[in-house]
Amino acid sequence: MLLAVDNGNTNVKFALVDDGGNIVQRWRIATDACRTADEYAVWLDQLLRMEGHARSEVKAMIIATVVPRALRNLQILSQKYFGTEALVAGRGQVGWGMALKVDEPRALGADRAVNAIAAQAFEPGIDKIVISFGTATTFDHIGTDGAYLGGSIAPGINLSLDALYNAAAMLPLIAIEPPPTTSVIGRDTVGQMQIGIYFGYVGLIEGLLSRMKQEIGKPVKVIATGGLAALFQQHSHLFDRVEPDLTLRGLANLYANREGGA
């Protein structure tokens, strides 16, 4: 089986992928650039055994990372504990295989490129907008042929909420959840914060989607990913599909289509 690793700024996601490209199990751990290969191995070994798997089942590993300092320890994990050289998304035999039609292609985050690959597999032959809810909220335009055509970056929801809490002494730390009603006039502090964060981001999403669709000028499918995607779909049907595992699926696709692969 394949172990796909999405190393983001907030969490590292691991997925066990079978030979048919299906995600069998998935786990996540907080990102820590100083976490050693040995620490990852102890944690993963326990989780694998809890789900009835063994480390020996993992025959290959592929990594997408936006945290360069963490890459080396993940590569050591692959070598030392799975007996294989990890493939790094965008390098060598797992090059992107798509055009990056932007001014600074090397600066494109690996997660966004991998999302584009997965989006093209889900919705070929039509333009796509991928919205990813992570540390940042990103909007990406993928063409009918799968080319990456650019996008935009906004502060992530948790980042905005933490900034509000840290900068305003009187405001409490709240969970991100939809307000109980569709009213945008709150009656208490927590309710007003929920409205501001939730419907404020709905407005951001609606506004950017509207402008992007107008600029693209063709039919577009909107795909959302990230832990908060389903949350925003509840009260406003913003997306054509929600794919929580978009990045991991993109890694599986990238591995399956690698140069010299089966």
Side-chain angles (χ1 to χ4, degrees):
M1 281 195 278
L2 170 71
L3 186 64
V5 184
D6 170 23
N7 186 188
N9 287 299
T10 303
N11 292 301
V12 188
K13 281 82 75 180
F14 293 80
L16 197 60
V17 183
D18 67 19
D19 293 340
N22 303 302
I23 295 177
V24 178
Q25 298 293 341
R26 58 184 66 71
W27 308 282
R28 67 176 58 208
I29 192 171
T31 298
D32 180 354
C34 296
R35 182 172 285 114
T36 67
D38 302 327
E39 290 173 309
Y40 279 122
V42 170
W43 176 75
L44 274 172
D45 189 63
Q46 290 177 329
L47 289 170
L48 283 164
R49 285 190 285 110
M50 285 172 63
E51 300 294 344
H53 298 285
R55 280 191 290 119
S56 60
E57 294 178 52
V58 176
K59 304 301 183 184
M61 184 166 158
I62 185 169
I63 305 165
T65 183
V66 296
V67 186
R69 286 182 58 207
L71 177 59
R72 183 58 185 153
N73 284 331
L74 288 167
Q75 290 174 313
I76 294 172
L77 168 70
S78 184
Q79 294 167 349
K80 185 176 179 180
Y81 291 100
F82 296 108
T84 184
E85 291 291 329
L87 300 174
V88 180
R91 302 183 189 178
Q93 62 177 298
V94 284
W96 297 130
M98 63 180 178
L100 303 180
K101 298 182 179 180
V102 289
D103 294 340
E104 299 177 318
R106 291 186 179 181
L108 179 65
D111 53 344
R112 300 172 76 181
V114 171
N115 284 345
I117 291 168
Q120 179 65 9
F122 279 123
E123 298 287 353
I126 190 170
D127 281 68
K128 280 82 57 184
I129 296 173
V130 174
I131 305 176
S132 179
F133 294 92
T135 306
T137 301
T138 57
F139 296 74
D140 294 306
H141 176 205
I142 296 94
T144 57
D145 60 353
Y148 179 85
L149 301 175
S152 59
I153 304 172
I157 300 155
N158 281 299
L159 197 63
S160 297
L161 194 56
D162 288 344
L164 186 64
Y165 169 71
N166 290 324
M170 296 288 289
L171 296 181
L173 183 62
I174 65 168
I176 297 171
E177 57 185 3
T181 71
T182 57
S183 172
V184 293
I185 301 175
R187 300 290 183 178
D188 56 57
T189 300
V190 170
Q192 290 172 15
M193 290 176 69
Q194 287 176 334
I195 290 167
I197 289 291
Y198 186 82
F199 285 115
Y201 263 87
V202 168
L204 182 149
I205 296 164
E206 288 175 336
L208 279 174
L209 279 179
S210 175
R211 287 173 176 267
M212 289 181 76
K213 287 179 177 179
Q214 184 175 10
E215 190 170 334
I216 293 167
K218 294 184 289 183
V220 174
K221 289 285 188 178
V222 179
I223 303 171
T225 190
L228 296 174
L231 187 72
F232 281 94
Q233 189 77 327
Q234 287 181 22
H235 281 200
S236 49
H237 298 290
L238 298 165
F239 322 124
D240 293 301
R241 64 191 301 160
V242 174
E243 295 289 344
D245 294 324
L246 191 69
T247 312
L248 294 169
R249 292 190 182 281
L251 280 170
N253 290 344
L254 191 60
Y255 178 80
N257 296 319
R258 69 194 184 282
E259 293 179 17

